[in-house]
Amino acid sequence: MTKFPVFDGHNDLVLRLLKGEVTAGQVVQGLPDGHIDTPRAIKGGFGGGIFAIFVPNPDNISVDHEAMKTPPYGLPLPPRITEDRAVEWTENGFAALEALEAAGAITICRSAAEIAAALPSPKMAASIHIEGAEAVDRDFARLHDWHARGLRSLGPVWSRDTVWGHGVPFRFPSDGDIGPGLTDAGKALIRECNSLRIMIDLSHLNAKGVEDVARISDAPLVASHSNACAVCPHSRNLTDRQLDMIRDSDGIVGVNFASAFLRPDGKWDDKFGLDILLRHFDHLVERMGEDRVGFGSDFDGALVPALIGDCAGLPNLMKAFRDSGVGDALLAKLTHENWLRVLRQTWGE
């Protein structure tokens, strides 16, 4: 077992399976590209994390990363997707995760105790997340069915508007104070998630949406893969006011490794030192305390620093922490203990 196994707040490996880029068996054997597979996870001490089911935009519409290389930028978001499309992709996402488990790549975990037990294993501990709730029906029947199947985390939006609320476009510089917050249906969704003890993810929500969740939810506030706006003023990052709200709820922020959300200049460029990433950790720990910060890499969904590269490169980040004076107690908290604490509290363990 790695001394400090990483439990990570967000990855998009499932999307690669849904797009047919890889198979579950190839994940176990090792992949020629991407960020996560079994051999690299073992090498890097990547013990698992929250695996997202995400519905991509139709017609291969994607974020314009070329435009993000030359700030300032404000990228238009694609329109809403249909519920039928969302349901199909989400059902296929559950099937993909179950195929990964059958192949021996992951163990689907429904409790923090199961995650803690799985972390020493070569199989990655996987908690199921839906990123963007377009597939959830208004009477929440599918939400209940998916919870029974292992769903433990949900984000009301992925930047695109949904019937539940409004997200942030990819905009730099910006503080994320863009548009209205949750709809009435979205507020009902938060209450239903609370009743089921499904973790609510603030990442991608706009500022008013974050405030709505904070007013309604009785669970710790969580942003699974977001950074500090004070270091990088990007719409996807969190203001100090939002960090204070998360702190006061005893929640957590998972630091996102996406280059454009780390770099103070907002560029989509992976050539920079890990000191910039550490600046986000430092600001979050200073603002919220060392018990409320973790990892939220966005592996397989972002351009990560070249000095990390993929999950096998996590020891480079551990060395950077060590070189900056981070000791064993704090490193254990950042890598997995803080996530386990918040999940226990949220899931009622």
Side-chain angles (χ1 to χ4, degrees), residues 31 37 135 177 179 197 233 247 298 335:
L31 301 170
D37 60 32
D177 189 6
R197 292 191 176 274
R247 176 200 63 206
D298 213 355
T335 54

Side-chain angles (χ1 to χ4, degrees), residues 207-286:
K208 289 184 175 61
V210 171
E211 292 179 5
D212 286 338
V213 174
R215 279 194 295 269
I216 296 167
S217 180
D218 60 11
L221 297 176
V222 172
S224 70
H225 59 304
S226 296
N227 296 335
C229 204
V231 179
C232 170
H234 198 289
S235 58
R236 273 284 284 108
N237 289 340
L238 300 165
T239 65
D240 284 350
R241 170 179 164 77
Q242 291 169 330
L243 297 180
D244 291 347
M245 292 159 58
I246 294 170
R247 176 200 63 206
D248 293 346
S249 77
D250 205 16
I252 191 170
V253 174
V255 173
N256 193 324
F257 294 179
S259 297
F261 310 152
L262 289 171
R263 294 173 59 112
D265 61 9
K267 284 186 178 181
W268 185 264
D269 183 336
D270 63 356
K271 306 300 191 294
F272 59 94
L274 295 183
D275 59 301
I276 291 177
L277 197 157
L278 295 189
R279 285 174 60 189
H280 286 271
F281 276 99
D282 289 344
H283 185 82
L284 296 173
V285 168
E286 181 180 353

Side-chain angles (χ1 to χ4, degrees), residues 140-159:
F140 305 126
R142 284 193 291 267
L143 185 70
H144 283 253
D145 289 345
W146 288 329
H147 177 264
R149 208 165 161 185
L151 176 68
R152 290 297 180 270
S153 174
L154 180 139
V157 302
W158 170 86
S159 288

Side-chain angles (χ1 to χ4, degrees), residues 4-81:
F4 301 109
V6 170
F7 185 83
D8 182 56
H10 187 91
N11 76 72
D12 285 300
L13 175 61
V14 173
L15 184 58
R16 300 198 68 203
L17 280 87
L18 293 180
K19 288 183 172 181
E21 297 173 358
V22 301
T23 68
Q26 288 170 333
V27 171
V28 174
Q29 296 300 316
L31 301 170
D33 57 9
H35 293 154
I36 298 174
D37 60 32
T38 299
R40 282 186 282 188
I42 294 171
K43 180 179 179 180
F46 185 83
I50 298 174
F51 284 63
I53 299 173
F54 170 69
V55 182
N57 301 308
D59 303 321
N60 293 318
I61 298 172
S62 62
V63 176
D64 186 355
H65 295 140
E66 284 300 313
M68 294 174 69
K69 293 179 180 179
T70 55
Y73 50 80
L75 309 184
L77 287 169
R80 292 184 182 182
I81 61 173

